[in-house]
Amino acid sequence: MKRALLFTALAGCATTGALAAPANPMPMPSQDIPARVEALLRQMTLEEKAGQLNQLSGKDFTGPETASKTNKLKDIREGHVGSMLNIRGVAQTREIQALALQSRLKIPLLFGLDVIHGYKTVFPVPLGEAASWDLEAIEQSARIAALEASASGVHWTFAPMVDIGRDPRWGRVMEGAGEDVFLGSSIARARVHGFQTDKLGGVDAIMATAKHFAAYGAAIAGRDYNAVDMSEQQLHETYLPPFHAAVDAGVATFMNAFNTLNGIPATASTMLQRDILKGSWKFPGFVVSDWGSVREMVVHGYVADLSGAAQAAMAGGSDMDMEGHAYRTHLPELARAGKVNMAQVDDAVRRVLTKKFELGLFDDPYRFSDAEREKRVMADPSHRAIARDVARKSMVLLKNERATLPLARTLQRIAVVGPFADARRDLEGGWIVQSDAANVVSLLDGIRSHAGSAKVDHIKVDGLQGALDAKAIQQAAAADVIVLAVGETWDMSGEAKSRSDISLPGRQEALFAALQATGKPVVAVIFAGRPLIFNHIADGAAAILYAWFPGSEGGNAVADVLFGDHNPAGRLPMTFPRNMGQVPISYVQYQTGRPVRDENSIVYKSAYIDSPNTPRYAFGYGLSYTSFAYSDLRLSKKRIGPTEQATLSFTLTNTGKRAGAEVAQLYLHDRVASLVRPLKELKGFQRVVLQPGESRTLSFTIDQAMLSFINARLQRVAEPGEFDVMVGASSDDIRLNTVLELGGAM
Ligand code: BGC
C-alpha cells in the first residue's frame, strides 16, 4: 500500500476567461445585512416564518378565477408566501409584488423561473453549449439570459443544472454539461458567474441555482425520477464536484432532487444538505426543494403524511418548499409541538431573507420591474448575434468524407429534406419561457440566405410519421447535394422524457437510405437534446453535423457551418454509444483484469460478443475543416514532490488551409493506486484559435491536486507513484504521452 498525501484543495486548470460583462449598477451595501435580517426575524410570527419558506407557482394566475388562485393571492397578502415561480414580466411581477407589500411586515417576494438556455433570445440547450468547450461563450449565454430575465422582473433562475449525465436515456442530459467532472465543474462556474456577475445587487444580476442536489443524473436505467444507488466514493468523486464548483463560484441557491439516494430522499438528506453542503462546504445561501419533492416523500414511503414530510425536509436542510404546501401547512404546528428544531427554522428564514437583502429588494421591491428597461433590453439586437455565435460554436462535425463540407460556392442546386427542414419550434428545444417560435430562423431560412445563386429545393418528406413519399425523394436526385435535417422533436428530451431506445425516431434512417440511393452526397444535420443512435447515417452519410437544439438563430448558425463561414470546433461532452446495450456509457473506464487488447480476440475478456466496447463517437471528439498536429511534448520535471508542480508543454500547429479552433485535452491516469483508477480522466483543456500554418506552444501545470482522487475513506488523496500524462484531440485520439512520477510524502 502506498502512503497517501492528504489535502483538501480541488484544483482545476481551465480558465474562465474574463468576460466583458455589462456594468453592474448600484450594488447594494452588504455590511448591515446580518443586522437587518436579525431585526426582522425578531418581529416574525411562526406563520410568517413558514411563509418565507413557502414557494408557490403562479402558473394559474393568467387563467380564469379559481379557488387555488384566490387562495394564493390571499396567502401572498397575508405574508404566507416567500417566493413565487413562473411569474414574469414587469406588469405581472409589479402586480404580485404589490400584494406582498400589503402584508404586515412588507417582506418582498422573490420571483424564480427556469431560465435554462435563454429568456427571450433562445440559446442552444445547455448540453449543446457544453459541446463548445468555450467557457467564455457559455458565460456570455448565461449573461444575456440574466439581462433579459432580470429586465422582466425575474430575480432568480433555476439553473445551472450541474448533474453529471452518463445515461443518454435520461432526457435531462439535455439540461446539463454532459458526462465529465472537470468539464462539468468548469461550466458550472462559468454559468453561475454569467447569471450572477461578481456580486448580487446589480439590477441585471439574478440568483443562480445549482441543481439537482444530488446524483439525480444517475437514476437507475435512465428513467427520470427513479431511485439512485451508488457508493459514497462515486458520489464524492463524480457527482458532487460540479456542485462544489458552483459553491466556490458563489452560487446563491441550491435545489435538491426528486430521487432517493441509497434509500433516503435527497430532500430529506442531512448528509447532503447539512453535513456536506452547509457543513463542509459552508454554503451560505439557501436550498429550495424541487417541485413538490417535499410532499413526494409520502409517495416514496419515507414518511407517513405531509406533516412528516415537512418535519423530515426541515431536519434534512431543505430551506424552501416549492409547491409542496408542507411548510405552509405544518411548520408552525410542528414548531409549537417541538417537533422541528426552531434554530433550524430560523436558520432557513435567515438564509432566504439574506438573499432578499442582497438583491436589494428591501430597498426597492420593484427594482427589477422597470417597463422602460424591459422594452429596451428585449429589443437589443446584439443578443441574437451572440446566440448565433454560441450556436455555431456548439455544433459538432462528426463526419466529413471527401471534404463534402464546407459546401462549395459553385453548387447549383441544394435539396433540403427531412422533418426538421423548416422546423422552428423544434430548434428551440425544451424549457422555453418567453420566446416566440415564429422568430426562430429555420434551417431552410438559413440555407436560403447563404446559398447565393444556388437553387434551394425544399423537398417535403417527413420521415417522423407516415409512409415515405418515393416521388418526392426522387426529386432530391436533381440536386448536387442533399441536406437532410433529422433528429428528435423538442419535446423528446428534457424532464420526464426518458427513452428506452435513443435511435432516431420514426423512419428517418429509412429516409436517409432512400436519399442515399439517389447517389447524391447526403449531408445529415441532426437536431437533438441528447446523444442519439443513427448507425446507417453514421456509416453512409457524406457528412454529419450534430446541431443539438440550437435556439433562435439555429438555421443561420447551421448554415454558417455548412457554408464555411464558421469552422466547426465543437467537441462531444457525452459519449455516443453504438447501441442501447452499451448504455450507460462514458469514457471514464476502469481497467478490468481481462481487458480487450485486440478486438479479434475477446474470449473470456471483458467484452460483448455482439458489439465492440468502443463507442460510436467518443467523449471529446469533433472534426474541423482544418487539421492540427501535436508535437514536442516536454515535461519540466519527470518527478515532482508533494508541493511541487510540473509544467507540461507541447506545440500545436494548424496544418490545414483554414483558420480554426482546436480543443487540446489533457488526460491523466494513476497507474497503481489504493482504488483502481480510471484509464483516463480529463484534467484540463484549452480551446485555441490558430491561423493556417500557425504554431503555438501550450502548457498545463500539473500539481498534486490534479493527481488526487477520493479514496475509500472519502478523503481526497494523491498517492505517490507513476501517472500517464496524455494530450490529445479527444478521449480516444491521444497524440502525445509521457509519464510523471509523484514522489513520497514530505
Ligand atoms: C424540475 C426543476 C425545475 C422545477 C420548477 C421541476 O419539475 O425538476 O428542475 O426547476 O420543476 O419548474
Side-chain angles (χ1 to χ4, degrees):
M1 252 286 257
K2 298 188 298 185
R3 206 142 42 99
L5 309 171
L6 254 182
F7 68 105
T8 48
L10 178 62
C13 80
T15 47
T16 302
L19 182 77
N24 191 7
M26 296 191 307
M28 289 290 154
S30 54
Q31 311 83 317
D32 55 350
I33 289 179
R36 292 174 79 182
V37 168
E38 290 313 314
L40 192 51
L41 198 61
R42 278 195 294 274
Q43 300 174 52
M44 293 173 79
T45 64
L46 262 178
E47 278 70 18
E48 284 164 340
K49 288 178 181 177
Q52 284 308 301
L53 308 181
N54 179 30
Q55 185 185 53
L56 297 181
S57 172
K59 249 195 177 132
D60 46 2
F61 277 23
T62 42
E65 285 300 320
T66 58
S68 149
K69 178 174 168 180
T70 312
N71 284 340
K72 282 182 181 178
L73 295 176
K74 180 166 174 285
D75 267 0
I76 295 170
R77 270 196 305 269
E78 292 177 356
H80 297 313
V81 182
S83 171
M84 297 291 295
L85 75 154
N86 298 330
I87 294 280
R88 59 176 173 272
V90 163
Q92 208 183 19
T93 50
R94 276 194 166 263
E95 198 184 318
I96 309 292
Q97 193 67 289
L99 290 182
L101 297 177
Q102 291 175 25
S103 63
R104 187 178 80 92
L105 294 172
K106 304 189 189 336
I107 301 177
L109 290 168
L110 280 175
F111 296 117
L113 189 69
D114 292 276
V115 183
I116 307 294
H117 52 116
Y119 183 75
K120 179 158 186 286
T121 310
V122 183
F123 283 72
V125 291
L127 186 63
E129 288 191 354
S132 72
W133 295 54
D134 184 330
L135 301 178
E136 279 187 37
I138 292 169
E139 180 171 339
Q140 203 171 19
S141 159
R143 187 84 288 277
I144 303 295
L147 281 173
E148 292 185 352
S150 65
S152 187
V154 173
H155 308 129
W156 177 18
T157 176
F158 305 126
M161 186 187 98
V162 303
D163 297 310
I164 295 290
R166 294 182 171 179
D167 192 328
R169 290 173 296 186
W170 189 51
R172 300 198 81 169
V173 295
M174 178 277 264
E175 298 171 52
E179 72 184 50
D180 185 63
V181 176
F182 181 82
L183 181 63
S185 302
S186 307
I187 290 176
R189 283 188 286 267
R191 288 197 167 126
V192 168
H193 195 250
F195 287 128
Q196 297 192 166
T197 72
D198 286 340
K199 192 168 186 283
L200 291 179
V203 286
D204 61 9
I206 59 176
M207 297 199 295
T209 309
K211 73 186 189 185
H212 305 85
F213 200 55
Y216 180 42
I220 293 171
R223 205 181 73 219
D224 207 2
Y225 315 127
N226 204 2
V228 174
D229 190 68
M230 74 165 60
S231 73
E232 278 196 64
Q233 194 277 338
Q234 260 307 301
L235 177 71
H236 281 264
E237 180 156 297
T238 305
Y239 289 84
L240 295 186
F243 287 99
H244 199 177
V247 173
D248 286 345
V251 72
T253 73
F254 260 53
M255 184 184 292
N256 56 37
F258 289 124
N259 58 285
T260 57
L261 173 61
N262 301 336
I264 297 178
T267 304
S269 173
T270 48
M271 183 263 280
L272 286 172
Q273 301 174 114
R274 293 211 179 274
D275 301 348
I276 296 174
L277 180 61
K278 295 175 181 174
S280 312
W281 298 353
K282 301 190 170 35
F283 170 64
F286 69 88
V287 181
V288 64
S289 78
D290 203 344
W291 179 289
S293 69
V294 175
R295 83 176 121 74
E296 284 180 17
M297 292 197 289
V298 180
V299 188
H300 278 295
Y302 185 70
V303 288
D305 52 27
L306 196 63
S307 167
Q311 195 181 0
M314 179 48 67
S318 294
D319 299 311
M320 186 181 275
D321 173 11
M322 178 193 284
E323 267 292 341
H325 305 267
Y327 284 180
R328 157 88 177 98
T329 320
H330 293 290
L331 263 192
E333 91 210 3
L334 286 167
R336 284 189 188 101
K339 289 185 176 165
V340 287
N341 178 337
M342 212 39 227
Q344 290 182 345
V345 175
D346 282 346
D347 176 63
V349 178
R350 214 175 262 128
R351 287 169 183 266
V352 172
L353 293 177
T354 301
K355 292 301 163 204
K356 293 186 176 184
F357 276 106
E358 285 175 12
L359 286 166
L361 296 179
F362 281 99
D363 303 283
D364 176 3
Y366 301 106
R367 64 195 295 261
F368 284 62
S369 302
D370 166 349
E372 191 281 322
R373 181 166 81 105
E374 183 177 47
K375 222 164 124 196
R376 179 169 38 84
V377 171
M378 298 307 161
D380 189 332
S382 70
H383 297 182
R384 284 191 76 114
I386 295 169
R388 177 171 176 168
D389 189 49
V390 176
R392 55 199 203 170
K393 284 176 168 159
S394 75
M395 292 176 188
V396 185
L397 182 65
L398 295 177
K399 186 176 182 187
N400 193 16
E401 270 184 5
R402 295 180 302 279
T404 305
L405 294 178
L407 296 174
R409 294 286 175 188
T410 50
L411 290 175
Q412 313 260 298
R413 207 157 170 178
I414 303 170
V416 186
V417 195
F420 299 94
D422 59 351
R424 295 182 197 282
R425 176 65 192 88
D426 288 310
L427 267 54
E428 295 181 305
W431 283 124
I432 292 310
V433 278
Q434 193 61 28
S435 78
D436 178 356
N439 293 327
V440 172
V441 180
S442 72
L443 176 60
L444 206 56
D445 297 337
I447 289 183
R448 286 209 163 111
S449 67
H450 283 67
S453 58
K455 185 163 182 309
V456 178
D457 300 323
H458 177 202
I459 294 174
K460 294 186 181 155
V461 195
D462 185 68
L464 270 177
Q465 279 153 6
L468 298 177
D469 178 348
K471 234 168 145 188
I473 290 170
Q474 229 12 70
Q475 290 167 21
D480 302 316
V481 66
I482 299 168
V483 176
L484 171 62
V486 291
E488 291 183 317
T489 55
W490 71 268
D491 54 355
M492 291 184 82
S493 56
E495 186 177 348
K497 300 292 191 273
S498 292
R499 294 179 63 196
S500 65
D501 179 357
I502 57 168
S503 304
L504 263 187
R507 308 204 59 213
Q508 297 183 89
E509 288 257 56
L511 172 59
F512 164 73
L515 292 167
Q516 191 190 21
T518 65
K520 293 298 166 72
V522 180
V523 173
V525 177
I526 304 179
F527 296 103
R530 55 149 70 82
L532 293 177
I533 295 172
F534 42 90
N535 287 321
H536 296 296
I537 290 178
D539 290 336
I544 305 171
L545 183 68
Y546 214 76
W548 312 101
F549 290 129
S552 304
E553 284 286 326
N556 279 333
V558 173
D560 286 343
V561 176
L562 296 183
F563 288 89
D565 296 342
H566 179 82
N567 188 351
R571 301 289 182 265
L572 296 179
M574 279 186 82
T575 304
F576 278 43
R578 293 173 189 274
N579 53 56
M580 291 309 301
Q582 292 183 320
V583 171
I585 188 168
S586 151
Y587 82 95
V588 180
Q589 295 284 323
Y590 297 86
Q591 188 67 300
T592 68
R594 305 258 181 117
V596 174
R597 300 197 197 277
D598 171 0
E599 287 286 349
N600 297 314
S601 163
I602 59 162
V603 180
Y604 291 110
K605 296 287 164 59
S606 178
Y608 299 105
I609 57 170
D610 56 357
S611 163
N613 287 352
T614 54
R616 186 86 222 195
Y617 301 109
F619 171 81
Y621 171 77
L623 302 173
S624 164
Y625 295 153
T626 187
S627 49
F628 297 92
Y630 291 67
S631 60
D632 300 328
L633 186 73
R634 291 174 301 270
L635 201 52
S636 62
K637 291 176 190 149
K638 285 266 163 225
R639 186 174 194 278
I640 57 172
T643 56
E644 291 177 323
Q645 300 177 333
T647 304
L648 176 82
S649 54
F650 58 96
T651 307
L652 184 69
T653 306
N654 181 343
T655 50
K657 293 195 172 61
R658 285 170 175 270
E662 172 71 332
V663 180
Q665 300 160 36
L666 169 69
Y667 295 91
L668 297 176
H669 169 224
D670 188 344
R671 286 182 165 180
V672 180
S674 61
L675 291 183
V676 173
R677 302 301 307 148
L679 289 165
K680 276 176 204 140
E681 286 180 285
L682 183 75
K683 292 292 176 176
F685 63 88
Q686 292 184 34
R687 188 180 186 280
V688 195
V689 178
L690 292 179
Q691 298 305 311
E694 186 184 352
S695 288
R696 190 155 331 149
T697 303
L698 303 184
S699 54
F700 291 102
T701 304
I702 304 179
D703 61 11
Q704 192 193 314
M706 282 166 77
L707 304 175
S708 70
F709 66 96
I710 303 289
N711 72 7
R713 290 157 64 193
L714 304 183
Q715 298 159 325
R716 181 160 282 281
V717 295
E719 296 179 349
E722 288 181 337
F723 294 78
D724 293 305
V725 177
M726 297 160 274
V727 175
S730 90
S731 63
D732 72 347
D733 185 10
I734 299 302
R735 305 286 183 87
L736 302 167
N737 55 62
T738 185
V739 178
L740 173 68
E741 195 187 333
L742 175 65
M746 297 151 280

